[in-house]
Amino acid sequence: MEFEEMNQRAYRRESPPDDLTPAERMIYMALCLLYELHFAGCYTREEGVALKRRLEQDFAQYRKQETEWLRCQTAMKLLRRCDLPIVQGIVAEADKAFDAPER
């Protein structure tokens, strides 16, 4: 779903569609909250427009991140299928790096 469609749906106080990605859902809910706060008089129109622009920038950034995560996930799936020992070593090191406890 594109940002402007989300924006219009949030303005009309519609429920979010079921097929939103996690990032889209977060932006949608933020737009809903922004409009509720604006309708309650907490933000002026200008403040609301500035916040909406920031949400639109975040939306674009999150969409790029989700695309990159999907690429990485696809690459790892393909690498896991490979029987070459060197590839399996790389996969094992990647798994170890992400399974390590945070420091």
Side-chain angles (χ1 to χ4, degrees), residues 1-85:
M1 175 179 290
E2 294 304 314
F3 182 82
E4 192 50 41
E5 183 181 352
M6 276 197 276
N7 180 52
Q8 291 301 315
R9 286 174 171 240
Y11 178 80
R12 293 188 304 260
R13 296 179 168 152
E14 295 178 11
S15 297
D18 292 333
D19 61 347
L20 296 179
T21 67
E24 289 173 337
R25 184 167 297 281
M26 184 186 70
I27 295 294
Y28 191 89
M29 299 310 290
L31 284 166
C32 290
L33 178 59
L34 175 62
Y35 279 112
E36 290 303 318
L37 291 171
H38 171 69
F39 295 145
C42 298
Y43 289 117
T44 65
R45 184 178 192 291
E46 294 76 22
E47 291 169 327
V49 167
L51 288 167
K52 188 172 76 171
R53 280 192 195 123
R54 177 57 200 228
L55 288 172
E56 188 170 16
Q57 291 169 351
D58 289 346
F59 174 78
Q61 178 186 349
Y62 295 152
R63 183 164 273 182
K64 287 178 187 175
Q65 286 176 341
E66 283 181 336
T67 300
E68 187 63 20
W69 292 334
L70 287 172
R71 284 185 185 129
C72 292
Q73 184 179 24
T74 302
M76 286 301 291
K77 283 180 182 179
L78 292 172
L79 289 172
R80 287 181 200 289
R81 293 182 193 161
C82 182
D83 293 332
L84 293 174

